[in-house]
């Protein structure tokens, strides 16, 4: 069995790490203020992360269960 990540999965992983780094810049403020990180959800939506598992033919990313797991 080949457990290597595809190029598409590595790109998804790279994008997730970038988002995580961006979210981390605001995390302490949200924790301190007990505020909801609405801008993070907006960013996830803009980047297409709220439709990762939705098939491409229906406008999603179509990454499947493995891609979804990598993102999370």
């Amino acid at each position: 069995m080949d457990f290597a990540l595809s190029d598409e999965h590595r790109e998804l992983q790279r994008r997730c790490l970038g988002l995580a780094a961006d979210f981390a810049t605001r995390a302490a403020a949200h924790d301190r203020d007990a505020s909801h990180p609405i801008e993070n959800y907006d960013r996830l939506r803009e980047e297409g992360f709220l439709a990762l598992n939705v098939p491409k033919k229906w406008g999603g990313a179509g990454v499947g269960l493995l891609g979804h797991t990598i993102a999370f």
Side-chain angles (χ1 to χ4, degrees):
M1 206 168 204
D2 181 10
F3 290 105
L5 296 179
S6 69
D7 289 341
E8 181 182 17
H9 287 142
R10 279 194 292 280
E11 174 61 18
L12 175 61
Q13 188 177 48
R14 185 196 63 74
R15 290 176 58 211
C16 289
L17 290 170
L19 286 170
D22 178 45
F23 296 170
T25 66
R26 296 181 292 279
H30 283 297
D31 289 346
R32 182 185 60 247
D33 301 338
S35 58
H36 195 70
I38 294 170
E39 66 279 7
N40 293 354
Y41 290 106
D42 290 341
R43 181 86 190 277
L44 287 169
R45 181 182 41 77
E46 291 166 7
E47 296 287 334
F49 277 81
L50 300 182
L52 283 178
N53 243 5
V54 176
K56 289 181 180 182
K57 68 180 180 180
W58 292 328
V63 299
L65 183 58
L66 177 58
H68 189 262
T69 302
I70 290 167
F72 277 78

